[in-house]
Amino acid sequence: MSYIQSLQKKPMAKTTVERSMLLALTVFLFTSFLPAQEQDQDIVARASSFLDQLEKHGEFTGSVLFAEEDEILIHRGLGFANASFEVANNKDTKYSIASIVKMFTAVAVLQLHEQGKIDLQKEVGFYLPDYANEAVKNQVTIEHLLTHQAGTTHSYDKDFFAIPKDRFQELNDFRPLFEQDTLIFTPGSRYFYNDTGFLILGLVIEQVSGMSYYQYVADHIFAPAGMSNTGAFPLDEVVANRAVGYRNTGTIGAPFRENIYFITKGSSAAGFYATTEDLYRFSRALVGNKLLEEATTQLMLTPKVEGYNTFLGYGIDIDTRGASQILGHSGGWYGIRGEVMIFNELGKTVVVLSNRGDNGYQIVM
């Protein structure tokens, strides 16, 4: 059974914000690598031709990277990073990556776990004794947070839209969005994807490491992985090669508008900016055990819970459908789409980042 056939057999849920036509794009392009009788140059030519058609018809805006082991086979940008000035997307364009950030947070937690500073079975209150929500303090463990089983709610909700976005500068600035929320189920009893759990994990990382979350991931993840074009940028910072996000209301044919009212400085749950190559570098560092010891990497990549469309390890999707286990994470928000797919046994990586999206209203495979 082909990978596309396996997806058709178990289709993606249309209600999932994180998944979009982007998955269809990455799967379609990845299948260009599969025919063993073809030479690499033929595969690259065929995939490049498909990208040419997407660009010609304006069906995709963003950057695409395909690699085999340590060799990048395709790397290009399509459409505009800034449509007003007709600045083209390219290989070095920085895109908001939304929830792809969760993989960074999971790695940071597990690094501190290796050092004996975080026990995955300890409750939140052990690390955050001043946390205002007693139920979260006393019932929710670090593992619950890593696997979206904590019972926490969505943090980017109505209160988020009412607050000026320039007020979010540090992780503590996000706390009023979620700290007083009631748990919606008993921790550990089921799965519910949300950002709140990873915002709490960011606070734990800060408390345990004695560093800001932003400095910790810069020093302990981005630097060793060689990710020089990744960061959480304030809204008013001048950033070279940063793409503008474009969104519509979900109505077919509606004009796209800039997503300036929907984004903040990044957090431990979402919103950093990165290039496709930096995310490829992260994927190689992760599976190559450069960020974690081999045993801890395997702990992260072992399925723990079944999510909406796939299994999850710690902060990472683990898809076991098709011929190869697929690791990674997606990201989606207003004007943002992203996908990292690591076909581990085949040694291939796909990274697709887009600066156009409608918050999940696109048709899903």
Side-chain angles (χ1 to χ4, degrees):
M1 180 185 296
S2 73
Y3 185 71
I4 286 181
Q5 288 173 328
S6 73
L7 284 177
Q8 292 170 339
K9 192 176 183 67
K10 186 178 180 183
M12 306 299 292
K14 292 187 178 181
T15 57
T16 303
V17 172
E18 297 294 317
R19 299 285 177 167
S20 68
M21 54 82 67
L22 208 56
L23 179 58
L25 170 63
T26 52
V27 169
F28 183 90
L29 291 175
F30 172 74
T31 58
S32 298
F33 292 115
L34 295 181
Q37 68 272 18
E38 291 191 56
Q39 299 298 313
D40 281 351
Q41 59 266 31
D42 298 325
I43 296 169
V44 170
R46 187 154 55 88
S48 295
S49 176
F50 177 67
L51 289 171
D52 289 340
Q53 291 301 308
L54 288 180
E55 186 168 36
K56 178 181 178 180
H57 297 289
E59 294 176 354
F60 177 75
T61 296
S63 294
V64 180
L65 182 149
F66 301 95
E68 181 171 8
E69 301 292 351
D70 294 325
E71 182 181 4
I72 297 175
L73 301 178
I74 297 176
H75 196 190
R76 58 183 286 189
L78 297 83
F80 293 121
N82 188 312
S84 296
F85 294 95
E86 296 188 342
V87 177
N89 283 316
N90 57 58
K91 296 187 295 184
D92 299 318
T93 301
K94 300 180 182 73
Y95 300 88
S96 180
I97 60 173
S99 289
I100 292 172
V101 171
K102 290 181 174 67
M103 289 193 292
F104 306 158
T105 300
V107 169
V109 169
L110 291 171
Q111 287 177 340
L112 294 166
H113 171 67
E114 284 182 342
Q115 299 169 29
K117 296 179 179 179
I118 290 181
D119 183 334
L120 304 183
Q121 305 309 319
K122 289 287 189 183
E123 289 78 17
V124 168
F126 186 83
Y127 302 104
L128 301 176
D130 65 338
Y131 197 79
N133 190 311
E134 291 297 318
V136 173
K137 277 178 61 174
N138 299 323
Q139 299 178 42
V140 174
T141 67
I142 302 301
E143 184 173 64
H144 290 150
L145 298 172
L146 284 168
T147 56
H148 297 288
Q149 293 184 291
T152 49
T153 59
H154 290 299
S155 49
Y156 295 103
D157 208 337
K158 61 181 184 301
D159 292 338
F160 169 78
F161 292 107
I163 300 173
K165 302 304 175 287
D166 61 352
R167 295 186 184 178
F168 298 98
Q169 297 296 324
E170 304 297 335
L171 287 194
N172 272 319
D173 297 331
F174 291 87
R175 275 174 97 146
L177 295 176
F178 58 82
E179 192 165 13
Q180 298 293 343
D181 288 352
T182 303
L183 293 178
I184 58 176
F185 56 80
T186 301
S189 64
R190 65 184 181 92
Y191 169 90
F192 177 70
Y193 181 90
N194 66 93
D195 288 316
T196 294
F198 277 73
L199 286 165
I200 297 172
L201 286 173
L203 296 173
V204 171
I205 291 166
E206 291 190 332
Q207 181 68 26
V208 169
S209 70
M211 305 170 65
S212 76
Y213 173 82
Y214 305 103
Q215 192 61 54
Y216 183 91
V217 294
D219 291 350
H220 298 279
I221 297 176
F222 304 157
M227 300 166 64
S228 59
N229 290 301
T230 300
F233 307 121
L235 301 185
D236 58 355
E237 183 174 334
V238 177
V239 180
N241 296 317
R242 174 160 57 174
V244 174
Y246 295 94
R247 51 89 193 172
N248 67 16
T249 60
T251 304
I252 295 176
F256 279 83
R257 300 183 182 278
E258 292 187 14
N259 64 339
I260 56 175
Y261 300 109
F262 298 92
I263 56 174
T264 68
K265 180 180 177 178
S267 72
S268 53
F272 275 59
Y273 282 78
T275 62
T276 46
E277 185 165 0
D278 267 16
L279 292 179
Y280 162 66
R281 289 175 181 271
F282 172 79
S283 73
R284 298 300 295 159
L286 177 63
V287 300
N289 304 312
K290 294 180 179 179
L291 299 175
L292 298 166
E293 296 173 3
E294 183 175 0
T296 312
T297 300
Q298 291 308 308
L299 179 66
M300 178 177 177
L301 304 183
T302 300
K304 305 292 190 302
V305 61
E306 186 171 7
Y308 300 132
N309 305 302
T310 185
F311 289 91
L312 284 90
Y314 288 144
I316 193 167
D317 292 343
I318 304 167
D319 199 320
T320 57
R321 293 171 291 178
S324 174
Q325 186 182 70
I326 306 169
L327 312 169
H329 211 291
S330 57
W333 189 236
Y334 296 90
I336 300 163
R337 283 290 175 271
E339 193 85 42
V340 176
M341 303 177 79
I342 307 164
F343 295 77
N344 206 20
E345 292 96 335
L346 300 178
K348 301 182 188 295
T349 305
V350 178
V351 182
V352 183
L353 298 177
S354 176
N355 59 320
R356 192 171 72 180
D358 51 16
N359 196 33
Y361 291 99
Q362 291 163 312
I363 296 174
V364 178
M365 274 185 70

